[in-house]
Amino acid sequence: MKHKDYFAYPQLLFLLLAMVLSACGAHEYRLRRAKLLYHQGQLLQTQGKIEEATKKFEASLALSRREGFRPGIAHNLNELAIIKVSKGEYVKARQLLEEALGIYKSLRMSAEVSKVMNNLAITYLEQGDPKGALTAYNELLQWDKATGNILGQLIVLYNMGEIYEEYLNQPCQAKPHFEAALRLALSLGRRKLAKKIHHKISSLNCQ
């Protein structure tokens, strides 16, 4: 009779457990690496080292995609889009931002959604398309209303007023946006900001 190896199954389970732990460890390492690359990219970007920053963001994006780290994917897409805007690549920037926007919405990251939607509006403004920017800002305004972001609404309304006044030379269209922003500033107790907006309204050439 052959001797039965009673240690075979425990050894197998131990091996499987070790493999799982090893895989988890590798996953965590790659996530930390992706986050580190992202922060390095941000630092390089603030230093004006755009090409180096781009490489860091792209590397972080690749790792984030590999590991299914969706916030990391969106963060890197947003940063790369900002770089694309600085290079005048507005269409590509919007493609990156739209992908990031979809991820943030699915993750219910409301603050990040607002940031990306604001960046989308900026792409149109930088491209010399103020009407496109107004459309994008209006979509952001509706989002901020739906999520109860009063400060966000204030900022968007003010920005829209600026576009009507500065870019489209339509002070009478700007006025109601500034007035709405003023009401929100007062409701939030932002007296200094309210004073600035009030001065803006007073200076408008609108009969």
Side-chain angles (χ1 to χ4, degrees):
M1 179 183 291
K2 292 184 178 179
H3 178 68
K4 190 172 183 179
D5 188 355
Y6 290 101
F7 297 98
Y9 293 121
Q11 288 174 344
L12 179 60
L13 289 173
F14 179 79
L15 178 61
L16 289 173
L17 179 60
M19 292 173 65
V20 170
L21 290 175
S22 177
C24 290
H27 174 70
E28 290 301 319
Y29 169 78
R30 286 191 286 267
L31 286 184
R32 288 197 299 271
R33 179 65 178 163
K35 292 175 183 178
L36 176 62
L37 287 165
Y38 173 73
H39 291 305
Q40 288 176 339
Q42 286 185 310
L43 178 60
L44 289 166
Q45 195 172 24
T46 60
Q47 295 172 345
K49 300 176 181 178
I50 302 303
E51 296 307 318
E52 293 177 53
T54 299
K55 291 178 182 178
K56 295 292 185 181
F57 289 135
E58 288 175 342
S60 179
L61 176 60
L63 267 179
S64 296
R65 288 194 190 280
R66 175 179 174 178
E67 299 305 312
F69 180 43
R70 300 182 72 210
I73 295 171
H75 294 338
N76 282 288
L77 288 170
N78 186 54
E79 296 296 341
L80 287 168
I82 292 171
I83 292 173
K84 293 294 183 185
V85 171
S86 71
K87 294 181 176 181
E89 300 176 30
Y90 306 111
V91 174
K92 180 60 178 177
R94 284 194 283 273
Q95 291 173 348
L96 297 175
L97 289 170
E98 289 290 353
E99 184 181 353
L101 182 61
I103 294 172
Y104 284 139
K105 282 186 174 181
S106 69
L107 295 174
R108 299 183 179 180
M109 298 174 70
S110 298
E112 300 302 325
V113 168
S114 293
K115 290 178 184 177
V116 171
M117 294 182 79
N118 182 69
N119 287 341
L120 276 166
I122 290 172
T123 67
Y124 289 104
L125 208 54
E126 291 290 326
Q127 194 175 7
D129 181 5
K131 291 184 178 180
L134 284 171
T135 298
Y137 271 131
N138 189 56
E139 291 176 2
L140 173 54
L141 181 61
Q142 301 312 311
W143 170 264
D144 283 340
K145 286 181 178 179
T147 56
N149 184 358
I150 298 176
L151 180 59
Q153 295 173 51
L154 190 166
I155 294 170
V156 172
L157 286 163
Y158 186 87
N159 288 342
M160 292 176 77
E162 285 272 272
I163 292 173
Y164 276 115
E165 182 191 12
E166 301 293 336
Y167 290 84
L168 297 176
N169 193 29
Q170 296 178 13
C172 292
Q173 290 290 332
K175 188 175 182 180
H177 291 84
F178 286 135
E179 289 174 338
L182 175 60
R183 289 192 293 271
L184 290 177
L186 291 171
S187 73
L188 292 173
R190 299 293 185 100
R191 301 293 175 180
K192 190 173 181 179
L193 180 56
K195 184 177 180 180
K196 175 184 175 181
I197 299 172
H198 185 269
H199 176 74
K200 190 79 172 178
I201 294 170
S202 300
S203 66
L204 290 174
N205 184 20
C206 178
Q207 301 301 323

